[in-house]
Amino acid sequence: MKILLIITLYLISGPVSCFDVIGYPGGSVLIYCRGKQYGGNPKYFCKKPSAQCVYFSQMPNTWSHTDRLSLCDCSDGLRVIYRNLRLQDAGSYQFGQAGVWNQDVNLKVNENPCCLGSKSVSGYLGETVTISCSYPEEFKRHIKYLFKQDDQYFTPVIDTTVTQRGRFSISDDRSSAVVSVRISDVREADGGVYYCGLSDGEESVSYYSFYTETQLQVTASMAPTSVPPDEDQFSRSSDTPSSSVIIISVCVCVVLLLIGGSALIFYKMRHNSSPSSRIQLKDIKEVLPVDSNSEEIEHTSHVSASGIHVNVSSATNSSDPQIHSNAQPLKDQDPTYTTVSFQNNPASPSDTAVVFSQEESATEYATITHHTRQEQH
C-alpha cells in the first residue's frame, strides 16, 4: 500500500526539470540533488518509466546500500552513488520526496576510448609515482579530480583548482587532454584504488563522474644483502660498463706483452754471457783424407773455449806418429782439455774423444802441421 502511494505521488508531483549526467562503462557517478526538506515524507530515487525505485534511509546522514546503488539523505541534499556502470543503465531517473518535489536526471553511459578499462601502477616506498588519465575533449575546461576509493565511498585527493597539496601535485595538459598526479615519497598507506574524475552541475543538481580505475601497489624497497668484501668488490666490478672492461683487458694484454718481451731480452742477454756448453766449429776448411805422401796438412779451426790443449794423433800406413798441438789457456782461466784422434787406416782403430769443461767463452786458433815421414829407399 505504501509503495502504491509513493508511485502515485511520484506521478502527480510538481514540475520536473532534467539534467544530463555523463558516465562511462566500468566507472561510477555521484549525483547531488539539493531539494527542500519538507517534513518526514519518504525520499526516493526511481528509474523512469518503469518506476523502479529505491528509498533513502530516514536517518539523516546515513548511507544505505542496494545492489550497485548507495543513497544518503545528507545535510547538503540527497546523494546517490551508481557504481560499475553498464550501457543498459542509461536512461531517465528521478529524485524526489513523495508528494512534495522531484528532480529528473538523464544518465548517459558513453563508450569513450579515453575513459575505459583499468590499469595498475607500482612503486617502492619513498619513490615518486605518477597516475595519468585522459579525458574527453568536452571536459577540457572543466575541473579534473583524483579520488581514492575507500570501501564504497570516494575521497577527493586533489583537483586542478590547485597545483599541489602536500605530497600530491597535479597538472593538466589540455593540448593532449591528459591529467597527471605525482605522488612523492610514496608510502604504504598510499596504496589502493584511485579514480580520475570530472564534475559538472548547476545549483539544484550536480555530479562527479569517476573513470579509469588505477590500482596503486606500493612495495618495500629490497634491503641490500650483506656480502663479503671480496664478493662486493666483484659485484661492483661486474656492474661497470663494457667499455671499462675492454680498457682493462687491453691494459692487461699490454702488460703481459711487456713482461714477455722483457723476459725474452733477459734470456738472450744471459744466454750470450753464459759459458758455452758445446764446442762450436766455424770456418772449418775441408780436410781431405791424409795421404802418406802428403807433406803438410794445415787445419785451421775456430774453437769456442777458454783454453785448449789439443792432442792430435794420426795413424798412417807407414808409421803411427803423434802430433801434439798445445794452446795455452788464457790467463786467470781454467784450461779446457781436448783430445782429437785422426784415423787414416780402418785396420788401425783408435778412440776419438773430446773432453771439455764448460767455462766462459773465448776464442782460440790452432794451426796443425803434419809432416809425413818418408821411407828411405
Side-chain angles (χ1 to χ4, degrees):
M1 186 66 181
K2 180 179 178 181
I3 296 176
L4 179 61
L5 177 61
I6 292 175
I7 293 175
T8 303
L9 292 174
Y10 158 73
L11 294 175
I12 65 174
S13 58
V16 176
S17 60
C18 187
F19 180 78
D20 287 340
V21 175
I22 300 176
Y24 302 93
S28 303
V29 290
L30 170 60
I31 307 172
Y32 287 89
C33 186
R34 300 172 183 87
K36 296 180 181 180
Q37 302 291 331
Y38 294 100
N41 290 345
K43 301 177 179 69
Y44 59 86
F45 179 73
C46 300
K47 184 175 183 180
K48 299 169 62 175
S50 61
Q52 297 175 356
C53 301
V54 291
Y55 300 95
F56 292 83
S57 172
Q58 294 186 0
M59 297 187 63
N61 300 311
T62 302
W63 286 90
S64 61
H65 307 284
T66 303
D67 193 16
R68 293 179 290 127
L69 288 170
S70 296
L71 304 92
C72 178
D73 184 2
C74 299
S75 58
D76 58 350
L78 301 179
R79 298 184 185 183
V80 173
I81 298 177
Y82 210 151
R83 297 183 182 82
N84 192 21
L85 292 174
R86 305 165 186 169
L87 294 177
Q88 57 267 33
D89 294 330
S92 296
Y93 293 81
Q94 187 179 79
F95 287 92
Q97 187 175 9
V100 180
W101 64 271
N102 60 59
Q103 172 68 55
D104 283 355
V105 296
N106 183 31
L107 177 61
K108 297 180 178 180
V109 181
N110 295 341
E111 290 185 286
N112 194 314
C114 71
C115 308
L116 302 178
S118 60
K119 58 184 179 179
S120 178
V121 176
S122 60
Y124 291 105
L125 290 174
E127 292 186 343
T128 298
V129 297
T130 301
I131 299 175
S132 300
C133 301
S134 300
Y135 54 82
E137 287 291 332
E138 60 265 28
F139 288 96
K140 182 176 292 186
R141 298 188 179 278
H142 288 66
I143 299 174
K144 290 84 178 177
Y145 301 83
L146 181 69
F147 290 86
K148 185 177 182 181
Q149 185 176 7
D150 183 11
D151 195 11
Q152 300 190 51
Y153 311 105
F154 297 88
T155 303
V157 177
I158 192 172
D159 58 69
T160 52
T161 60
V162 297
T163 57
Q164 187 166 355
R165 183 174 294 160
R167 296 179 295 108
F168 296 81
S169 60
I170 190 169
S171 61
D172 182 10
D173 185 357
R174 293 185 177 180
S175 62
S176 58
V178 174
V179 62
S180 301
V181 176
R182 291 167 54 89
I183 308 175
S184 60
D185 188 20
V186 67
R187 302 168 185 175
E188 187 175 356
D190 295 330
V193 178
Y194 291 83
Y195 284 89
C196 290
L198 302 167
S199 69
D200 197 7
E202 55 187 30
E203 184 179 355
S204 61
V205 63
S206 63
Y207 74 96
Y208 291 92
S209 181
F210 311 108
Y211 65 97
T212 309
E213 176 185 326
T214 301
Q215 177 74 47
L216 175 60
Q217 299 176 347
V218 180
T219 56
S221 57
M222 298 179 62
T225 306
S226 59
V227 295
D230 294 340
E231 295 183 7
D232 184 54
Q233 183 178 2
F234 175 78
S235 62
R236 288 197 301 269
S237 300
S238 62
D239 293 336
T240 56
S242 58
S243 58
S244 301
V245 175
I246 295 174
I247 294 175
I248 294 175
S249 301
V250 172
C251 293
V252 171
C253 292
V254 171
V255 171
L256 292 176
L257 289 174
L258 291 176
I259 294 175
S262 301
L264 181 60
I265 294 173
F266 177 78
Y267 172 79
K268 288 186 176 181
M269 293 178 62
R270 183 172 181 180
H271 179 72
N272 292 337
S273 61
S274 63
S276 176
S277 61
R278 67 181 184 272
I279 298 177
Q280 300 177 355
L281 300 179
K282 300 181 180 179
D283 302 327
I284 302 178
K285 294 183 179 180
E286 182 178 359
V287 180
L288 298 176
V290 179
D291 190 88
S292 60
N293 297 324
S294 61
E295 296 294 333
E296 180 178 283
I297 296 176
E298 181 175 341
H299 178 202
T300 303
S301 63
H302 178 193
V303 181
S304 176
S306 299
I308 301 177
H309 179 160
V310 181
N311 182 10
V312 180
S313 61
S314 176
T316 62
N317 292 331
S318 58
S319 61
D320 295 329
Q322 288 190 352
I323 302 173
H324 298 273
S325 176
N326 297 326
Q328 297 299 328
L330 298 177
K331 293 181 179 181
D332 301 328
Q333 295 185 8
D334 294 333
T336 298
Y337 300 94
T338 303
T339 301
V340 180
S341 299
F342 292 91
Q343 179 175 319
N344 291 332
N345 187 357
S348 177
S350 176
D351 292 335
T352 302
V354 180
V355 181
F356 61 92
S357 62
Q358 297 181 357
E359 299 293 342
E360 295 184 358
S361 299
T363 303
E364 295 292 340
Y365 296 91
T367 301
I368 303 174
T369 302
H370 181 201
H371 297 279
T372 304
R373 182 182 302 172
Q374 297 183 358
E375 295 180 0
Q376 296 180 359
H377 298 281

